[in-house]
Amino acid sequence: MLTVETRYAIDPDTAKTLDTAGLRQHFHASGLFEEGRINLIYTHYDRLILGGAVPGSGELVLDEVKEAGTSSLLDRRELGILNIGEAGTVKAGGETYQVGKGDVLYIGMGSGPVTFSGPGRFYILSAPAHRTCPSRLITVKDARRVELGSAETSNKRVILQFLHPEVAESCQLLMGYTQFAPGSVWNTMPAHVHDRRMEAYLYFELGPDQRVFHFMGKPEETRHLVMANEDAVVSPPWSIHCGAGTGAYTFCWAMAGDNVDFTDMDMVAMGDLR
């Protein structure tokens, strides 16, 4: 029912020696959403955990994860859950939440086991926490909307912020997703890095023949990963993270690290990219 894979931190000098298979082994993740299972990746980048839970016709319980070193995952962690499927149910801390498609559920430290049921496809993100913040369901209409870009630059998009200081309190986890208008494909360009936080992306709402080219690496030493529907990528703090798709798509972004300042980023000039 539970599978956990560990990903160790890679420095930029090592990363630039990797071929395509090596880059995918360390930074790319697929197959997270498997019916009847919880599949997690435990990273050594700010100890972020990402994964998927697809209950199907039964229930899935997320409790002890050996890699976290506690009797229950949420003993010293917080959790963010995005439902990218049909409406489903999550139980935690004595409460039951009906999580619709596109909604995000925040579960605070100390909430105990988490139970998933129903037809949802739940994307899971967890970061270490040093205090307990209130658990809360944030619906799509509750999210903070930031509209950016234009059709002329192929990046007309809306950023929906859920775990964000102006929407819902968290300890260190920031989380939301970005949706593109038809005909727009570029995300996070001009590129940036934020050396104080790592980031993880989940690309979804792609067609079977659609792909996103995710760019990573130091600004002067860029690489790329080809992403299919429901593929995820781990982005180190030293790496840019931007991409372009063969059509419009949605991606979930999540960050953990020193702060929860969404605007804390170091911009990279277009002329500095190589």
Side-chain angles (χ1 to χ4, degrees):
M1 185 179 74
L2 174 66
T3 300
V4 184
E5 177 190 352
T6 297
R7 300 282 182 97
Y8 295 99
I10 301 294
D11 67 273
D13 288 337
T14 299
K16 71 181 182 181
T17 69
L18 299 174
D19 61 9
T20 298
L23 288 174
R24 293 178 74 85
Q25 177 185 350
H26 287 288
F27 303 108
H28 174 265
S30 63
L32 295 177
F33 299 91
E34 183 180 0
E35 186 167 335
R37 299 196 62 82
I38 299 174
N39 295 319
L40 302 179
I41 294 178
Y42 180 96
T43 83
H44 282 242
Y45 297 102
D46 290 294
R47 303 289 168 170
L48 186 82
I49 293 174
L50 63 148
V54 185
S57 59
E59 287 189 341
L60 294 173
V61 179
L62 179 60
D63 192 8
E64 183 180 8
V65 175
K66 181 180 66 174
E67 288 74 6
T70 53
S71 58
S72 184
L73 179 65
L74 293 183
D75 284 351
R76 295 183 59 82
R77 283 180 166 269
E78 59 187 350
L79 195 69
I81 301 167
L82 165 65
N83 184 11
I84 63 172
E86 298 179 40
T89 302
V90 179
K91 299 178 182 178
E95 300 289 336
T96 300
Y97 303 91
Q98 301 300 320
V99 186
K101 183 177 182 179
D103 293 346
V104 169
L105 174 63
Y106 174 79
I107 302 177
M109 182 180 73
S111 297
V114 181
T115 302
F116 302 89
S117 60
R121 298 174 72 80
F122 299 103
Y123 180 49
I124 298 167
L125 292 152
S126 176
H130 61 269
R131 62 188 175 93
T132 299
C133 299
S135 297
R136 178 184 167 188
L137 176 65
I138 309 109
T139 67
V140 176
K141 66 179 178 62
D142 297 326
R144 182 173 184 260
R145 295 175 60 91
V146 180
E147 296 188 10
L148 294 173
S150 67
E152 289 74 18
T153 51
S154 303
N155 67 350
K156 186 176 182 181
R157 64 202 187 276
V158 58
I159 300 174
L160 297 173
Q161 299 170 336
F162 290 80
L163 300 188
H164 181 282
E166 296 186 31
V167 181
E169 183 184 19
S170 65
C171 183
Q172 69 155 322
L173 189 61
L174 282 172
M175 184 178 172
Y177 53 86
T178 301
Q179 296 176 316
F180 287 84
S184 288
V185 296
W186 274 104
N187 76 70
T188 324
M189 182 62 78
H192 65 264
V193 297
H194 31 71
D195 202 44
R196 296 152 294 280
R197 295 180 305 199
M198 64 81 64
E199 190 158 6
Y201 279 25
L202 174 74
Y203 291 96
F204 61 105
E205 295 185 340
L206 283 73
D209 296 323
Q210 187 179 349
R211 295 293 183 270
V212 172
F213 287 75
H214 175 90
F215 294 96
M216 61 166 295
K218 297 280 282 185
E220 69 277 10
E221 192 81 31
T222 61
R223 297 289 187 270
H224 73 268
L225 295 167
V226 179
M227 313 295 292
N229 188 46
E230 297 183 355
D231 281 358
V233 62
V234 178
S235 182
W238 48 262
S239 176
I240 65 167
H241 37 265
C242 58
T246 57
Y249 55 95
T250 303
F251 70 92
C252 175
W253 44 266
M255 290 175 273
D258 272 337
N259 61 52
V260 290
D261 179 2
F262 183 82
T263 62
D264 178 17
M265 59 187 73
D266 303 315
M267 301 304 298
V268 177
M270 293 294 289
D272 293 335
L273 291 174
R274 296 289 184 271

PDB file of all heavy atoms in Angstrom, residues 1 31-39 51-60 84 116-124 230:
ATOM      1  N   MET A   1       0.824  -1.210   0.000  1.00  0.00           N
ATOM      2  CA  MET A   1       0.000   0.000   0.000  1.00  0.00           C
ATOM      3  C   MET A   1       0.855   1.255   0.000  1.00  0.00           C
ATOM      4  O   MET A   1       0.462   2.280  -0.528  1.00  0.00           O
ATOM      5  CB  MET A   1      -0.934   0.003   1.208  1.00  0.00           C
ATOM      6  CG  MET A   1      -1.927   1.166   1.221  1.00  0.00           C
ATOM      7  SD  MET A   1      -3.035   1.149   2.632  1.00  0.00           S
ATOM      8  CE  MET A   1      -1.940   1.669   3.945  1.00  0.00           C
ATOM      9  N   GLY A  31       4.755   7.887 -12.344  1.00  0.00           N
ATOM     10  CA  GLY A  31       4.083   6.758 -11.698  1.00  0.00           C
ATOM     11  C   GLY A  31       3.675   6.996 -10.261  1.00  0.00           C
ATOM     12  O   GLY A  31       3.493   6.034  -9.500  1.00  0.00           O
ATOM     13  N   LEU A  32       3.503   8.253  -9.873  1.00  0.00           N
ATOM     14  CA  LEU A  32       3.110   8.548  -8.492  1.00  0.00           C
ATOM     15  C   LEU A  32       1.667   8.151  -8.215  1.00  0.00           C
ATOM     16  O   LEU A  32       1.317   7.825  -7.072  1.00  0.00           O
ATOM     17  CB  LEU A  32       3.293  10.037  -8.199  1.00  0.00           C
ATOM     18  CG  LEU A  32       4.719  10.590  -8.222  1.00  0.00           C
ATOM     19  CD1 LEU A  32       4.694  12.098  -7.980  1.00  0.00           C
ATOM     20  CD2 LEU A  32       5.592   9.894  -7.199  1.00  0.00           C
ATOM     21  N   PHE A  33       0.822   8.179  -9.243  1.00  0.00           N
ATOM     22  CA  PHE A  33      -0.619   7.970  -9.050  1.00  0.00           C
ATOM     23  C   PHE A  33      -0.991   6.565  -9.525  1.00  0.00           C
ATOM     24  O   PHE A  33      -1.205   6.317 -10.707  1.00  0.00           O
ATOM     25  CB  PHE A  33      -1.408   9.044  -9.798  1.00  0.00           C
ATOM     26  CG  PHE A  33      -1.094  10.435  -9.315  1.00  0.00           C
ATOM     27  CD1 PHE A  33      -0.086  11.184  -9.915  1.00  0.00           C
ATOM     28  CD2 PHE A  33      -1.783  10.986  -8.246  1.00  0.00           C
ATOM     29  CE1 PHE A  33       0.211  12.463  -9.467  1.00  0.00           C
ATOM     30  CE2 PHE A  33      -1.486  12.260  -7.796  1.00  0.00           C
ATOM     31  CZ  PHE A  33      -0.488  13.000  -8.405  1.00  0.00           C
ATOM     32  N   GLU A  34      -1.068   5.654  -8.569  1.00  0.00           N
ATOM     33  CA  GLU A  34      -1.335   4.249  -8.840  1.00  0.00           C
ATOM     34  C   GLU A  34      -2.495   3.793  -7.951  1.00  0.00           C
ATOM     35  O   GLU A  34      -2.416   3.912  -6.718  1.00  0.00           O
ATOM     36  CB  GLU A  34      -0.081   3.427  -8.544  1.00  0.00           C
ATOM     37  CG  GLU A  34      -0.176   1.961  -8.851  1.00  0.00           C
ATOM     38  CD  GLU A  34       1.108   1.226  -8.524  1.00  0.00           C
ATOM     39  OE1 GLU A  34       2.076   1.853  -8.049  1.00  0.00           O
ATOM     40  OE2 GLU A  34       1.134  -0.001  -8.729  1.00  0.00           O
ATOM     41  N   GLU A  35      -3.554   3.310  -8.558  1.00  0.00           N
ATOM     42  CA  GLU A  35      -4.747   2.967  -7.786  1.00  0.00           C
ATOM     43  C   GLU A  35      -4.432   1.950  -6.697  1.00  0.00           C
ATOM     44  O   GLU A  35      -3.741   0.960  -6.917  1.00  0.00           O
ATOM     45  CB  GLU A  35      -5.849   2.430  -8.699  1.00  0.00           C
ATOM     46  CG  GLU A  35      -7.165   2.197  -7.972  1.00  0.00           C
ATOM     47  CD  GLU A  35      -8.333   1.959  -8.895  1.00  0.00           C
ATOM     48  OE1 GLU A  35      -8.285   2.423 -10.066  1.00  0.00           O
ATOM     49  OE2 GLU A  35      -9.304   1.312  -8.446  1.00  0.00           O
ATOM     50  N   GLY A  36      -4.948   2.243  -5.508  1.00  0.00           N
ATOM     51  CA  GLY A  36      -4.765   1.351  -4.371  1.00  0.00           C
ATOM     52  C   GLY A  36      -3.440   1.507  -3.656  1.00  0.00           C
ATOM     53  O   GLY A  36      -3.122   0.704  -2.772  1.00  0.00           O
ATOM     54  N   ARG A  37      -2.682   2.551  -3.984  1.00  0.00           N
ATOM     55  CA  ARG A  37      -1.372   2.721  -3.376  1.00  0.00           C
ATOM     56  C   ARG A  37      -1.113   4.189  -3.022  1.00  0.00           C
ATOM     57  O   ARG A  37      -1.690   5.105  -3.609  1.00  0.00           O
ATOM     58  CB  ARG A  37      -0.260   2.238  -4.305  1.00  0.00           C
ATOM     59  CG  ARG A  37      -0.329   0.765  -4.665  1.00  0.00           C
ATOM     60  CD  ARG A  37       0.990   0.299  -5.233  1.00  0.00           C
ATOM     61  NE  ARG A  37       2.079   0.418  -4.274  1.00  0.00           N
ATOM     62  CZ  ARG A  37       2.337  -0.484  -3.326  1.00  0.00           C
ATOM     63  NH1 ARG A  37       1.587  -1.564  -3.218  1.00  0.00           N
ATOM     64  NH2 ARG A  37       3.340  -0.305  -2.488  1.00  0.00           N
ATOM     65  N   ILE A  38      -0.210   4.367  -2.054  1.00  0.00           N
ATOM     66  CA  ILE A  38       0.400   5.664  -1.766  1.00  0.00           C
ATOM     67  C   ILE A  38       1.866   5.545  -2.166  1.00  0.00           C
ATOM     68  O   ILE A  38       2.593   4.700  -1.646  1.00  0.00           O
ATOM     69  CB  ILE A  38       0.292   6.036  -0.278  1.00  0.00           C
ATOM     70  CG1 ILE A  38      -1.173   6.139   0.159  1.00  0.00           C
ATOM     71  CG2 ILE A  38       1.020   7.351  -0.008  1.00  0.00           C
ATOM     72  CD1 ILE A  38      -1.344   6.365   1.654  1.00  0.00           C
ATOM     73  N   ASN A  39       2.297   6.369  -3.109  1.00  0.00           N
ATOM     74  CA  ASN A  39       3.683   6.377  -3.569  1.00  0.00           C
ATOM     75  C   ASN A  39       4.315   7.710  -3.205  1.00  0.00           C
ATOM     76  O   ASN A  39       3.817   8.767  -3.604  1.00  0.00           O
ATOM     77  CB  ASN A  39       3.753   6.156  -5.084  1.00  0.00           C
ATOM     78  CG  ASN A  39       3.268   4.781  -5.482  1.00  0.00           C
ATOM     79  OD1 ASN A  39       3.567   3.787  -4.823  1.00  0.00           O
ATOM     80  ND2 ASN A  39       2.511   4.698  -6.564  1.00  0.00           N
ATOM     81  N   GLY A  51       4.286  13.024  -3.409  1.00  0.00           N
ATOM     82  CA  GLY A  51       3.771  11.723  -3.835  1.00  0.00           C
ATOM     83  C   GLY A  51       2.309  11.776  -4.201  1.00  0.00           C
ATOM     84  O   GLY A  51       1.711  12.856  -4.315  1.00  0.00           O
ATOM     85  N   GLY A  52       1.744  10.608  -4.405  1.00  0.00           N
ATOM     86  CA  GLY A  52       0.357  10.501  -4.810  1.00  0.00           C
ATOM     87  C   GLY A  52      -0.367   9.408  -4.057  1.00  0.00           C
ATOM     88  O   GLY A  52       0.243   8.415  -3.637  1.00  0.00           O
ATOM     89  N   ALA A  53      -1.671   9.591  -3.886  1.00  0.00           N
ATOM     90  CA  ALA A  53      -2.540   8.589  -3.268  1.00  0.00           C
ATOM     91  C   ALA A  53      -3.802   8.478  -4.106  1.00  0.00           C
ATOM     92  O   ALA A  53      -4.473   9.479  -4.355  1.00  0.00           O
ATOM     93  CB  ALA A  53      -2.893   8.969  -1.826  1.00  0.00           C
ATOM     94  N   VAL A  54      -4.116   7.258  -4.540  1.00  0.00           N
ATOM     95  CA  VAL A  54      -5.316   7.005  -5.346  1.00  0.00           C
ATOM     96  C   VAL A  54      -6.086   5.875  -4.660  1.00  0.00           C
ATOM     97  O   VAL A  54      -5.776   4.693  -4.856  1.00  0.00           O
ATOM     98  CB  VAL A  54      -4.963   6.618  -6.796  1.00  0.00           C
ATOM     99  CG1 VAL A  54      -6.235   6.482  -7.631  1.00  0.00           C
ATOM    100  CG2 VAL A  54      -4.027   7.650  -7.419  1.00  0.00           C
ATOM    101  N   PRO A  55      -7.092   6.195  -3.834  1.00  0.00           N
ATOM    102  CA  PRO A  55      -7.779   5.161  -3.054  1.00  0.00           C
ATOM    103  C   PRO A  55      -8.567   4.171  -3.899  1.00  0.00           C
ATOM    104  O   PRO A  55      -8.683   2.994  -3.533  1.00  0.00           O
ATOM    105  CB  PRO A  55      -8.716   5.964  -2.138  1.00  0.00           C
ATOM    106  CG  PRO A  55      -8.262   7.367  -2.225  1.00  0.00           C
ATOM    107  CD  PRO A  55      -7.558   7.546  -3.512  1.00  0.00           C
ATOM    108  N   GLY A  56      -9.156   4.618  -5.015  1.00  0.00           N
ATOM    109  CA  GLY A  56     -10.013   3.724  -5.791  1.00  0.00           C
ATOM    110  C   GLY A  56     -11.234   3.328  -4.994  1.00  0.00           C
ATOM    111  O   GLY A  56     -11.937   4.159  -4.411  1.00  0.00           O
ATOM    112  N   SER A  57     -11.486   2.038  -4.910  1.00  0.00           N
ATOM    113  CA  SER A  57     -12.689   1.539  -4.230  1.00  0.00           C
ATOM    114  C   SER A  57     -12.493   1.319  -2.736  1.00  0.00           C
ATOM    115  O   SER A  57     -13.441   0.986  -2.022  1.00  0.00           O
ATOM    116  CB  SER A  57     -13.138   0.219  -4.864  1.00  0.00           C
ATOM    117  OG  SER A  57     -12.102  -0.750  -4.769  1.00  0.00           O
ATOM    118  N   GLY A  58     -11.282   1.520  -2.230  1.00  0.00           N
ATOM    119  CA  GLY A  58     -11.020   1.283  -0.810  1.00  0.00           C
ATOM    120  C   GLY A  58     -10.556   2.533  -0.087  1.00  0.00           C
ATOM    121  O   GLY A  58     -10.833   3.657  -0.503  1.00  0.00           O
ATOM    122  N   GLU A  59      -9.866   2.325   1.022  1.00  0.00           N
ATOM    123  CA  GLU A  59      -9.277   3.404   1.796  1.00  0.00           C
ATOM    124  C   GLU A  59      -7.757   3.236   1.826  1.00  0.00           C
ATOM    125  O   GLU A  59      -7.251   2.116   1.804  1.00  0.00           O
ATOM    126  CB  GLU A  59      -9.797   3.414   3.235  1.00  0.00           C
ATOM    127  CG  GLU A  59     -11.218   3.899   3.411  1.00  0.00           C
ATOM    128  CD  GLU A  59     -11.584   4.079   4.873  1.00  0.00           C
ATOM    129  OE1 GLU A  59     -10.901   3.506   5.748  1.00  0.00           O
ATOM    130  OE2 GLU A  59     -12.566   4.789   5.139  1.00  0.00           O
ATOM    131  N   LEU A  60      -7.068   4.354   1.880  1.00  0.00           N
ATOM    132  CA  LEU A  60      -5.623   4.365   2.054  1.00  0.00           C
ATOM    133  C   LEU A  60      -5.293   5.188   3.284  1.00  0.00           C
ATOM    134  O   LEU A  60      -5.838   6.283   3.469  1.00  0.00           O
ATOM    135  CB  LEU A  60      -4.934   4.962   0.831  1.00  0.00           C
ATOM    136  CG  LEU A  60      -5.038   4.176  -0.480  1.00  0.00           C
ATOM    137  CD1 LEU A  60      -4.447   4.995  -1.630  1.00  0.00           C
ATOM    138  CD2 LEU A  60      -4.313   2.841  -0.358  1.00  0.00           C
ATOM    139  N   ILE A  84      -6.366  16.296  -7.822  1.00  0.00           N
ATOM    140  CA  ILE A  84      -6.401  16.546  -9.271  1.00  0.00           C
ATOM    141  C   ILE A  84      -7.412  15.628  -9.967  1.00  0.00           C
ATOM    142  O   ILE A  84      -7.487  15.624 -11.200  1.00  0.00           O
ATOM    143  CB  ILE A  84      -5.005  16.373  -9.899  1.00  0.00           C
ATOM    144  CG1 ILE A  84      -4.490  14.942  -9.753  1.00  0.00           C
ATOM    145  CG2 ILE A  84      -4.018  17.366  -9.280  1.00  0.00           C
ATOM    146  CD1 ILE A  84      -3.204  14.670 -10.520  1.00  0.00           C
ATOM    147  N   PHE A 116      -7.471   8.445   3.127  1.00  0.00           N
ATOM    148  CA  PHE A 116      -7.985   8.874   1.826  1.00  0.00           C
ATOM    149  C   PHE A 116      -9.027   7.876   1.336  1.00  0.00           C
ATOM    150  O   PHE A 116      -8.837   6.663   1.453  1.00  0.00           O
ATOM    151  CB  PHE A 116      -6.857   8.929   0.790  1.00  0.00           C
ATOM    152  CG  PHE A 116      -5.710   9.842   1.147  1.00  0.00           C
ATOM    153  CD1 PHE A 116      -4.631   9.368   1.883  1.00  0.00           C
ATOM    154  CD2 PHE A 116      -5.716  11.165   0.742  1.00  0.00           C
ATOM    155  CE1 PHE A 116      -3.575  10.196   2.198  1.00  0.00           C
ATOM    156  CE2 PHE A 116      -4.664  12.007   1.056  1.00  0.00           C
ATOM    157  CZ  PHE A 116      -3.581  11.521   1.786  1.00  0.00           C
ATOM    158  N   SER A 117     -10.112   8.391   0.759  1.00  0.00           N
ATOM    159  CA  SER A 117     -11.124   7.507   0.177  1.00  0.00           C
ATOM    160  C   SER A 117     -11.836   8.249  -0.957  1.00  0.00           C
ATOM    161  O   SER A 117     -11.746   9.469  -1.087  1.00  0.00           O
ATOM    162  CB  SER A 117     -12.133   7.040   1.232  1.00  0.00           C
ATOM    163  OG  SER A 117     -12.807   8.146   1.820  1.00  0.00           O
ATOM    164  N   GLY A 118     -12.565   7.468  -1.768  1.00  0.00           N
ATOM    165  CA  GLY A 118     -13.308   8.056  -2.877  1.00  0.00           C
ATOM    166  C   GLY A 118     -12.499   8.099  -4.156  1.00  0.00           C
ATOM    167  O   GLY A 118     -11.361   7.614  -4.228  1.00  0.00           O
ATOM    168  N   PRO A 119     -13.055   8.715  -5.208  1.00  0.00           N
ATOM    169  CA  PRO A 119     -12.436   8.697  -6.537  1.00  0.00           C
ATOM    170  C   PRO A 119     -11.382   9.771  -6.770  1.00  0.00           C
ATOM    171  O   PRO A 119     -10.996  10.022  -7.915  1.00  0.00           O
ATOM    172  CB  PRO A 119     -13.638   8.899  -7.463  1.00  0.00           C
ATOM    173  CG  PRO A 119     -14.579   9.736  -6.661  1.00  0.00           C
ATOM    174  CD  PRO A 119     -14.419   9.291  -5.229  1.00  0.00           C
ATOM    175  N   GLY A 120     -10.886  10.410  -5.727  1.00  0.00           N
ATOM    176  CA  GLY A 120      -9.894  11.464  -5.891  1.00  0.00           C
ATOM    177  C   GLY A 120      -8.535  10.933  -6.314  1.00  0.00           C
ATOM    178  O   GLY A 120      -8.222   9.746  -6.147  1.00  0.00           O
ATOM    179  N   ARG A 121      -7.741  11.821  -6.882  1.00  0.00           N
ATOM    180  CA  ARG A 121      -6.325  11.566  -7.161  1.00  0.00           C
ATOM    181  C   ARG A 121      -5.570  12.635  -6.379  1.00  0.00           C
ATOM    182  O   ARG A 121      -5.535  13.800  -6.779  1.00  0.00           O
ATOM    183  CB  ARG A 121      -6.019  11.639  -8.655  1.00  0.00           C
ATOM    184  CG  ARG A 121      -6.761  10.590  -9.458  1.00  0.00           C
ATOM    185  CD  ARG A 121      -6.574  10.766 -10.956  1.00  0.00           C
ATOM    186  NE  ARG A 121      -5.258  10.414 -11.425  1.00  0.00           N
ATOM    187  CZ  ARG A 121      -4.846   9.155 -11.651  1.00  0.00           C
ATOM    188  NH1 ARG A 121      -5.671   8.138 -11.429  1.00  0.00           N
ATOM    189  NH2 ARG A 121      -3.635   8.908 -12.102  1.00  0.00           N
ATOM    190  N   PHE A 122      -4.997  12.228  -5.265  1.00  0.00           N
ATOM    191  CA  PHE A 122      -4.476  13.170  -4.289  1.00  0.00           C
ATOM    192  C   PHE A 122      -2.962  13.316  -4.434  1.00  0.00           C
ATOM    193  O   PHE A 122      -2.219  12.336  -4.308  1.00  0.00           O
ATOM    194  CB  PHE A 122      -4.815  12.701  -2.871  1.00  0.00           C
ATOM    195  CG  PHE A 122      -6.287  12.593  -2.592  1.00  0.00           C
ATOM    196  CD1 PHE A 122      -6.923  11.358  -2.573  1.00  0.00           C
ATOM    197  CD2 PHE A 122      -7.047  13.726  -2.357  1.00  0.00           C
ATOM    198  CE1 PHE A 122      -8.271  11.249  -2.316  1.00  0.00           C
ATOM    199  CE2 PHE A 122      -8.407  13.631  -2.097  1.00  0.00           C
ATOM    200  CZ  PHE A 122      -9.028  12.387  -2.077  1.00  0.00           C
ATOM    201  N   TYR A 123      -2.539  14.546  -4.704  1.00  0.00           N
ATOM    202  CA  TYR A 123      -1.114  14.868  -4.745  1.00  0.00           C
ATOM    203  C   TYR A 123      -0.707  15.332  -3.352  1.00  0.00           C
ATOM    204  O   TYR A 123      -1.314  16.248  -2.785  1.00  0.00           O
ATOM    205  CB  TYR A 123      -0.863  15.955  -5.784  1.00  0.00           C
ATOM    206  CG  TYR A 123       0.578  16.384  -5.921  1.00  0.00           C
ATOM    207  CD1 TYR A 123       1.607  15.453  -6.071  1.00  0.00           C
ATOM    208  CD2 TYR A 123       0.910  17.741  -5.934  1.00  0.00           C
ATOM    209  CE1 TYR A 123       2.928  15.864  -6.224  1.00  0.00           C
ATOM    210  CE2 TYR A 123       2.229  18.160  -6.092  1.00  0.00           C
ATOM    211  CZ  TYR A 123       3.231  17.214  -6.234  1.00  0.00           C
ATOM    212  OH  TYR A 123       4.539  17.615  -6.386  1.00  0.00           O
ATOM    213  N   ILE A 124       0.321  14.706  -2.805  1.00  0.00           N
ATOM    214  CA  ILE A 124       0.721  14.894  -1.416  1.00  0.00           C
ATOM    215  C   ILE A 124       2.053  15.628  -1.342  1.00  0.00           C
ATOM    216  O   ILE A 124       3.004  15.290  -2.052  1.00  0.00           O
ATOM    217  CB  ILE A 124       0.865  13.522  -0.715  1.00  0.00           C
ATOM    218  CG1 ILE A 124      -0.478  12.788  -0.715  1.00  0.00           C
ATOM    219  CG2 ILE A 124       1.404  13.682   0.697  1.00  0.00           C
ATOM    220  CD1 ILE A 124      -0.349  11.336  -0.323  1.00  0.00           C
ATOM    221  N   GLU A 230       1.056  14.134 -15.318  1.00  0.00           N
ATOM    222  CA  GLU A 230       1.214  13.681 -13.946  1.00  0.00           C
ATOM    223  C   GLU A 230       2.636  13.276 -13.610  1.00  0.00           C
ATOM    224  O   GLU A 230       2.881  12.523 -12.666  1.00  0.00           O
ATOM    225  CB  GLU A 230       0.215  12.559 -13.604  1.00  0.00           C
ATOM    226  CG  GLU A 230      -1.231  13.020 -13.696  1.00  0.00           C
ATOM    227  CD  GLU A 230      -2.249  11.970 -13.294  1.00  0.00           C
ATOM    228  OE1 GLU A 230      -1.846  10.817 -13.026  1.00  0.00           O
ATOM    229  OE2 GLU A 230      -3.447  12.283 -13.253  1.00  0.00           O
TER     230      GLU A 230
END
